[in-house]
C-alpha cells in the first residue's frame, strides 16, 4: 500500500490593520508597511506598541505618512520616535481659526558685548548668535505667547543643518516650540525631526532638500489676513536691548 504524504502550506499570520480617512483618501497601515515604506531608516525593527502609537498619532492628527507628513525613526534597539515634517507645525498654527499672527527672530551679541534682539535672521560676520525667540498672537487672548531660547538649549550638535544654517534652525525651533505652547490642543505632542536628539552612534539624516540648505533668512513676521484666512508677510523693525534689560 502506497503512503501518500500531504504537504501543509504554511500561511503567514494575518497582520494588524489600521485604517482611517483623510478627506477622500483611505490610509491603510500594517506593521510591515510601516517598517518597509515609512520607517526613516532600516537600522531598527519597530515593535507592536510602537506601531500602534505611530498609527494613533497619525490618525488622531489626520496626517498622511505616505506624503511624509508624519514618519517614525528607529535606531537599533533605541525607542522609536514619531516626528512630523518641518512645515506641519507652522501650517497648522497659521491656519488655525484663532491664529492672529506671529513674529520671530534672534538674539545676537555684538562685537562691543551688547545683546541685541532682532526680528528675522540678519546677522553680520563679527556678531555671535546666542538665541532665538518667537511671539504668537491669538484672537481670543489678550496677551501673546512669547518664547525665548538660548542656542545652548536648542542646538542639536549632530544635525548638519545646524552647522550649515544655524540662524534658520534657531528660528525654526523657536517658532515650533512657541506654536505648540500657543495651540496645545492641536499641536501638543508633535515634534519636528530637527528638535529631537539622536544617539551618538547614528548618522543624522535631516531630510532637508538642497533648496532648503541654500535658502536665505529674511526678516519677516506672519500675520493672519481676516478676509482670506491666509497668512501674509509683514516687516518689523529691529529692537536693541542691553543685557541689563533681560
Amino acid at each position: 500500500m502506497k503512503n501518500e504524504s500531504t504537504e501543509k502550506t504554511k500561511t503567514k499570520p494575518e497582520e494588524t490593520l489600521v485604517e482611517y480617512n483623510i478627506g477622500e483618501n483611505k490610509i491603510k497601515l500594517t506593521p510591515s508597511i510601516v517598517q518597509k515604506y515609512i520607517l526613516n531608516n532600516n537600522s531598527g525593527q519597530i515593535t507592536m506598541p510602537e506601531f500602534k502609537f505611530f498609527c494613533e498619532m497619525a490618525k488622531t492628527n489626520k496626517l498622511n505618512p505616505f506624503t511624509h507628513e508624519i514618519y517614525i525613526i528607529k535606531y537599533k534597539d533605541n525607542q522609536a520616535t514619531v516626528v512630523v515634517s518641518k512645515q506641519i507645525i507652522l501650517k497648522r498654527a497659521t491656519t488655525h481659526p484663532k491664529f492672529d499672527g506671529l513674529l520671530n527672530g534672534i538674539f545676537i551679541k555684538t562685537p562691543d558685548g551688547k545683546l541685541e534682539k532682532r526680528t528675522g535672521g540678519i546677522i553680520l560676520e563679527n556678531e555671535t548668535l546666542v538665541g532665538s525667540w518667537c511671539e504668537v498672537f491669538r484672537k481670543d487672548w489678550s496677551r501673546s505667547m512669547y518664547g525665548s531660547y538660548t542656542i545652548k538649549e536648542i542646538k542639536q550638535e549632530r544635525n548638519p543643518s545646524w552647522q550649515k544654517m544655524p540662524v534658520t534652525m534657531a528660528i525654526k525651533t523657536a517658532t515650533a516650540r512657541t506654536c505648540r505652547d500657543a495651540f496645545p490642543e492641536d499641536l501638543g505632542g508633535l515634534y519636528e525631526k530637527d528638535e529631537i536628539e539622536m544617539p551618538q552612534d547614528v548618522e543624522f539624516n535631516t531630510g532637508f532638500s538642497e533648496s532648503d540648505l541654500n535658502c536665505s533668512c529674511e526678516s519677516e513676521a506672519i500675520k493672519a489676513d481676516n478676509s482670506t484666512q491666509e497668512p501674509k508677510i509683514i516687516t518689523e523693525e529691529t529692537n536693541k536691548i542691553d543685557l541689563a534689560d533681560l
Side-chain angles (χ1 to χ4, degrees):
M1 183 175 179
K2 188 176 182 180
N3 293 327
E4 295 182 358
S5 61
T6 304
E7 183 178 349
K8 294 183 179 180
T9 303
K10 294 182 180 180
T11 59
K12 191 175 181 179
E14 187 174 343
E15 284 193 296
T16 301
L17 174 64
V18 175
E19 294 181 314
Y20 61 97
N21 294 323
I22 299 180
E24 297 180 353
N25 298 320
K26 175 171 284 190
I27 308 299
K28 295 183 179 181
L29 299 172
T30 65
S32 61
I33 289 176
V34 173
Q35 182 72 41
K36 185 175 181 180
Y37 299 106
I38 299 172
L39 190 66
N40 184 255
N41 56 63
N42 296 317
S43 61
Q45 182 73 33
I46 61 171
T47 64
M48 182 56 67
E50 290 170 341
F51 165 74
K52 291 181 178 179
F53 178 73
F54 171 76
C55 292
E56 188 61 28
M57 286 288 291
K59 181 179 180 180
T60 301
N61 292 284
K62 297 187 182 301
L63 294 172
N64 188 344
F66 297 105
T67 57
H68 305 293
E69 290 183 335
I70 186 171
Y71 51 99
I72 186 169
I73 302 171
K74 177 78 172 183
Y75 294 112
K76 298 182 179 180
D77 296 328
N78 292 284
Q79 184 177 356
T81 303
V82 177
V83 293
V84 298
S85 66
K86 62 183 182 295
Q87 294 300 330
I88 287 296
I89 292 178
L90 184 60
K91 178 181 178 181
R92 294 213 163 179
T94 57
T95 56
H96 193 284
K98 295 180 181 178
F99 174 78
D100 199 30
L102 71 78
L103 298 170
N104 56 27
I106 55 176
F107 292 104
I108 63 99
K109 185 178 180 181
T110 62
D112 58 357
K114 295 288 187 179
L115 183 69
E116 184 176 311
K117 177 184 177 182
R118 291 180 181 172
T119 298
I122 302 300
I123 184 171
L124 303 179
E125 290 185 2
N126 60 348
E127 297 174 332
T128 304
L129 177 67
V130 296
S132 57
W133 62 273
C134 180
E135 186 173 13
V136 178
F137 303 89
R138 287 183 55 139
K139 297 175 182 177
D140 58 338
W141 287 0
S142 60
R143 296 181 181 274
S144 62
M145 174 62 70
Y146 180 86
S148 58
Y149 312 92
T150 64
I151 290 299
K152 184 180 295 186
E153 176 187 1
I154 62 177
K155 185 177 181 180
Q156 300 297 328
E157 295 289 349
R158 300 189 63 255
N159 186 334
S161 295
W162 273 97
Q163 308 301 324
K164 296 180 180 180
M165 48 181 189
V167 174
T168 298
M169 298 305 297
I171 294 175
K172 283 180 178 291
T173 302
T175 301
R177 288 192 176 194
T178 311
C179 283
R180 265 197 307 272
D181 291 338
F183 301 99
E185 67 278 14
D186 293 278
L187 301 177
L190 298 182
Y191 291 86
E192 298 178 0
K193 183 175 181 179
D194 295 300
E195 294 184 82
I196 64 175
E197 185 176 357
M198 295 300 169
Q200 291 296 320
D201 59 341
V202 175
E203 182 179 355
F204 199 105
N205 177 22
T206 66
F208 271 92
S209 65
E210 190 67 23
S211 60
D212 288 326
L213 297 178
N214 292 329
C215 68
S216 60
C217 295
E218 296 181 359
S219 177
E220 65 180 32
I222 301 178
K223 184 172 179 60
D225 186 338
N226 293 329
S227 61
T228 63
Q229 289 299 321
E230 292 293 329
K232 63 182 181 181
I233 304 299
I234 60 174
T235 58
E236 184 77 4
E237 294 183 355
T238 298
N239 298 315
K240 294 185 178 180
I241 57 176
D242 292 330
L243 288 169
D245 294 330
L246 296 180

